[in-house]
């Protein structure tokens, strides 16, 4: 073993909030698993399924058989570790909570990059956890339904103008429209329609109400969340959905030649181009709950990956807020 080339990482995952004792010393006597990374077409991770007991260190030797990949654990804040061909990266992981964790590659190594995932099963006594189902299931939304807005704004709605308009709303109406539950369960178009039908708001123009919608969307997120989402988007989404959100990323529609079919063999769903988030007809008729649902569950064969195992719930909501920002003129 070449000690000079080897880089050593010790990561202690504090998942589930409790405190783990976090020191694991490397030694050559312990069980080591050599984990090979290859492009998904060439087999992805080998082995792809790992098992370890909670609290026990998992010693990994990571190496790549082709290009540079990386290793990251879903739903954790741990930075990704690079895996280079001809090099051994040593990594020790300790999980304090039993469960199933997803590990994945964060480097775009090809059109199927996002399929580069594996699982770590952490055994042990399960701690009771309130398992809430995602909002789209609670609301009974069909996230695969085709939808199109009936009304769209003439001009890009402005958060800044919306803030001023919103300040003139009667307080009770304002509270309803701005509440987190209301925002998450309604599409921008639905909110606009309800405002338009609201007797208290008849003095406002159509555009002013669209501006108010933009303000509501912005007030349900924070600049920090949007900043984090911007980074996550650039890393995980832009390759398909495009940097500008227009669905024109380099891998948009690439799924067809890769699978050799225009329909997914399992679900029969059509494999389609990545959604254009700049298209108001599409996005303004989608609720945040539906967007988050698609993000968590994935497209089930459409080419839209499943992110539920990778992102934390907070990150998915931040990403959702970020997607709508392609529709609105941000406040300066
Ligand atoms: C490998 C390509 C690919 C990547 C990467 C990808 N998507 Fe998608 N996405 C798609 C495709 C294709 C669709 C359209 C089919 C569908 O809705 O299932 C889609 C649809 C969606 C939708 C549904 C939009 C709607 O209203 O119908 C959302 C939301 C979404 N993606 C968000 C994201 C986010 C956020 C990321 C990054 C974390 C991401 N996607 C990464 C391909 C991709
Ligand atoms: Cu990779």
């Amino acid at each position: 073993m070449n000690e000079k080339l080897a880089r050593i990482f010790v990561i202690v995952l504090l998942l589930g909030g409790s405190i783990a004792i976090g020191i694991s010393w490397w030694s050559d006597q312990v069980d080591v698993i050599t984990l090979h990374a290859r492009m998904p077409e060439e087999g992805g991770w080998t082995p792809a399924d790992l098992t370890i007991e909670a609290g026990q260190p998992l010693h990994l030797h990571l190496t790549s058989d082709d290009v540079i990949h990386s290793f990251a654990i879903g739903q954790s804040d741990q930075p990704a570790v690079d895996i280079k061909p001809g090099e051994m990266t040593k990594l020790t992981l300790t999980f304090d909570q039993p469960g199933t964790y997803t590990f994945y590659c964060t480097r775009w190594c090809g059109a199927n990059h996002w399929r580069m995932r594996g699982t770590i099963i952490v055994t042990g006594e399960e701690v009771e956890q309130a398992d809430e189902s995602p909002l789209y299931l609670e609301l009974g939304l069909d996230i695969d339904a085709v939808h199109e807005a009936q009304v769209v704004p003439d001009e890009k709605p402005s958060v800044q103008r919306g803030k001023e308009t919103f300040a003139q709303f009667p307080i009770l109406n304002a509270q309803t429209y701005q509440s987190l539950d209301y925002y998450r369960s309604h599409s921008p178009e639905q909110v606009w329609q309800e405002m338009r039908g609201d007797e208290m708001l008849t003095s406002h123009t159509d555009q002013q109400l669209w501006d108010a919608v933009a303000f509501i969307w912005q007030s349900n997120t924070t600049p920090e969340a949007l900043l984090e989402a911007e980074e996550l988007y650039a890393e995980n989404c832009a390759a398909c959905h495009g940097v500008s959100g227009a669905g024109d990323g380099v891998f948009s529609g690439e799924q067809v030649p890769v699978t050799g079919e225009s329909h997914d063999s399992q679900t029969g769903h059509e494999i389609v181009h990545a959604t254009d988030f700049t298209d108001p007809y599409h996005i303004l008729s989608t609720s945040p709950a539906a967007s988050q649902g698609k993000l968590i569950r994935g497209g089930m064969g459409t080419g839209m990956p499943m992110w539920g195992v990778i992102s934390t719930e907070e990150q998915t909501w931040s990403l959702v807020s970020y997607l709508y920002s392609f529709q609105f003129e941000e406040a300066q």
Side-chain angles (χ1 to χ4, degrees), residues 38-40 67-70 105-110 113 116:
R38 278 183 228 123
M39 287 173 44
V67 297
I68 299 185
H69 297 278
S70 79
C105 174
T106 65
R107 286 187 173 264
W108 280 89
C109 47
H113 149 77
M116 233 180 122

Side-chain angles (χ1 to χ4, degrees), residues 149-213:
Q150 302 300 305
V151 206
V152 294
D154 292 336
E155 208 186 311
K156 209 174 189 186
S158 151
V159 172
Q160 191 56 49
R161 286 198 310 257
K163 191 177 179 183
E164 288 154 27
T165 305
F166 202 76
Q168 298 159 14
F169 279 23
I171 187 89
L172 278 177
N173 304 51
Q175 276 172 358
T176 309
Y177 293 128
Q178 207 175 10
S179 88
L180 186 65
D181 287 345
Y182 182 82
Y183 147 83
R184 285 184 174 169
S185 56
H186 290 73
S187 71
E189 184 195 23
Q190 283 173 324
V191 175
W192 185 87
Q193 294 281 17
E194 290 199 10
M195 286 179 178
R196 193 64 294 173
D198 189 332
E199 285 175 9
M200 304 300 290
L201 305 176
T202 45
S203 62
H204 294 289
T205 66
D206 287 356
Q207 184 63 41
Q208 281 177 323
L209 294 184
W210 277 117
D211 293 343
V213 169

Side-chain angles (χ1 to χ4, degrees), residues 108 111 114 143-145 147 232-233 236-241 251-253 255 270-275 277 282-283 286 290-292 294-295 297-300 302-305 307 311 319-320 323:
W108 280 89
W114 58 272
I143 58 175
D144 299 310
H147 51 86
L232 288 170
Y233 183 89
N236 302 300
C237 324
C240 293
H241 290 283
F251 294 128
S252 179
Q255 293 76 29
E270 198 179 346
I271 295 168
V272 289
H273 277 268
T275 307
F277 296 124
H282 193 87
I283 299 310
T286 310
S291 302
Q292 194 225 18
K294 184 59 78 74
L295 193 54
R297 192 211 64 183
M300 310 267 272
T302 62
M304 170 62 197
W307 295 99
S311 310
L319 274 165
V320 165
L323 301 184

Side-chain angles (χ1 to χ4, degrees), residues 43-158:
W45 300 105
T46 321
D49 298 298
L50 307 170
T51 304
I52 189 78
E53 214 177 298
Q56 293 299 310
L58 173 64
H59 299 292
L60 297 175
H61 267 180
L62 306 167
T63 190
S64 166
D65 297 343
D66 44 37
V67 297
I68 299 185
H69 297 278
S70 79
F71 178 95
I73 308 263
Q75 303 186 329
S76 86
D77 297 333
Q78 295 304 327
V81 171
D82 276 346
I83 308 175
K84 297 178 180 166
E87 279 190 27
M88 249 338 154
T89 301
K90 292 176 177 181
L91 181 68
T92 297
L93 300 168
T94 308
F95 295 84
D96 68 326
Q97 292 292 323
T100 303
Y101 300 83
T102 297
F103 65 90
Y104 65 107
C105 174
T106 65
R107 286 187 173 264
W108 280 89
C109 47
N112 273 330
H113 149 77
W114 58 272
R115 293 181 195 272
M116 233 180 122
R117 295 180 180 181
T119 52
I120 301 172
I121 294 171
V122 179
T123 58
E125 214 163 301
E126 202 77 50
V127 189
E128 281 290 323
Q129 262 176 11
D131 207 11
E132 277 180 47
S133 56
L135 188 56
Y136 82 95
L137 287 178
E138 258 173 58
L139 296 172
L141 298 179
D142 175 5
I143 58 175
D144 299 310
V146 178
H147 51 86
E148 194 182 339
Q150 302 300 305
V151 206
V152 294
D154 292 336
E155 208 186 311
K156 209 174 189 186
S158 151

Side-chain angles (χ1 to χ4, degrees), residues 245-322:
D248 55 356
V250 284
F251 294 128
S252 179
E254 276 285 310
Q255 293 76 29
V256 182
V258 165
T259 60
E261 293 167 355
S262 62
H263 286 72
D264 186 81
S265 54
Q266 306 245 302
T267 61
H269 283 189
E270 198 179 346
I271 295 168
V272 289
H273 277 268
T275 307
D276 174 359
F277 296 124
T278 65
D279 174 7
Y281 288 93
H282 193 87
I283 299 310
L284 295 180
S285 61
T286 310
S287 66
S291 302
Q292 194 225 18
K294 184 59 78 74
L295 193 54
I296 296 175
R297 192 211 64 183
M300 310 267 272
T302 62
M304 170 62 197
M306 173 180 124
W307 295 99
V309 292
I310 306 276
S311 310
T312 63
E313 191 185 351
E314 215 179 315
Q315 286 172 331
T316 61
W317 287 121
S318 302
L319 274 165
V320 165
S321 299
Y322 181 73

